[in-house]
Amino acid sequence: MINLKAYRNDTFEEVEFTVKRSTDGNVTRNPIDITGATLLLEVKKKKSTPSVLTMTIANDKLEIVDGPGGVLIIKEQIIDIPGDIYYFDLQISFTDN
């Protein structure tokens, strides 16, 4: 679990993630190549509710900075949603499925 803090109408600083998976069933995790993948990050009040904020590469809120290394960023931006506790859900779709 990752906890992120943002304050309404303040600048949300850039955050970097590395997407990894275990290939041996142990704690060793290897980066997943996300080159060309479609990213969708939804911010929701509850897991089952509609998103209050959507981030994608197309709307310039997310960026893949190292595809083969599995590295993406949530770009620096102004977050303008009411203060509360939210969940975020990152979906990654690969072109080769």
Side-chain angles (χ1 to χ4, degrees):
M1 180 186 298
I2 299 170
N3 291 317
L4 301 175
K5 287 187 180 181
Y7 298 93
R8 189 174 191 175
N9 295 320
D10 279 353
T11 301
F12 177 76
E13 300 295 330
E14 180 179 292
V15 178
E16 181 179 286
F17 296 91
T18 302
V19 182
K20 297 181 177 183
R21 102 174 106 211
S22 175
T23 54
D24 60 7
N26 295 315
V27 294
T28 303
R29 300 194 187 282
N30 299 309
I32 297 172
D33 186 347
I34 58 173
T35 303
T38 300
L39 306 176
L40 171 64
L41 190 147
E42 295 181 300
V43 178
K44 301 177 177 187
K45 184 96 164 123
K46 294 181 182 178
K47 295 177 185 178
S48 61
T49 60
S51 61
V52 296
L53 181 63
T54 300
M55 300 181 196
T56 65
I57 293 172
N59 71 11
D60 204 34
K61 307 281 186 189
L62 302 176
E63 181 180 347
I64 295 173
V65 293
D66 176 7
V71 182
L72 65 102
I73 58 170
I74 300 174
K75 291 184 168 186
E76 181 178 291
Q77 57 195 283
I78 302 295
I79 303 293
D80 188 20
I81 56 177
D84 211 330
I85 295 174
Y86 294 92
Y87 296 91
F88 72 90
D89 178 28
L90 175 63
Q91 300 170 35
I92 303 172
S93 301
F94 297 94
T95 54
D96 61 359
N97 289 332

